[in-house]
């Protein structure tokens, strides 16, 4: 059985650079949502977006 893995370099090339847009929710609501989300799901999304070494929690939520 062939092992499945994510090719981050190919994913980055396919998606290209994107401009960040402001979120339609408050920073506090974003923090509340992150705290209620299954940790592995957040990790998967951050890894897919090549953000796994960055902190996703703003200082105001600490």
């Amino acid at each position: 059985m062939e092992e499945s893995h994510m090719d981050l370099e190919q994913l980055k090339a396919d998606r290209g650079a994107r401009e960040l847009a402001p979120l339609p929710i408050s920073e506090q609501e974003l923090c509340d949502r992150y705290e209620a989300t299954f940790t592995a799901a957040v990790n998967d999304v951050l890894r897919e977006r090549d953000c796994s070494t960055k902190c996703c929690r703003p200082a105001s939520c600490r």
Side-chain angles (χ1 to χ4, degrees):
M1 186 167 133
E2 185 177 318
E3 185 177 326
S4 175
H5 67 280
M6 191 179 308
D7 183 350
L8 292 178
E9 294 306 315
Q10 184 61 47
L11 183 63
K12 284 190 270 185
D14 290 345
R15 291 191 175 175
R18 290 185 280 171
E19 190 174 318
L20 295 178
L23 291 175
I25 60 173
S26 71
E27 200 171 90
Q28 185 58 52
E29 184 176 350
L30 178 64
C31 291
D32 294 342
R33 289 181 183 193
Y34 274 136
E35 288 176 0
T37 303
F38 183 58
T39 304
V42 173
N43 182 63
D44 288 349
V45 171
L46 291 175
R47 185 185 64 211
E48 180 180 322
R49 294 174 181 240
D50 195 32
C51 297
S52 59
T53 60
K54 297 178 176 93
C55 178
C56 63
R57 195 168 180 196
S60 62
C61 295
R62 294 183 185 149

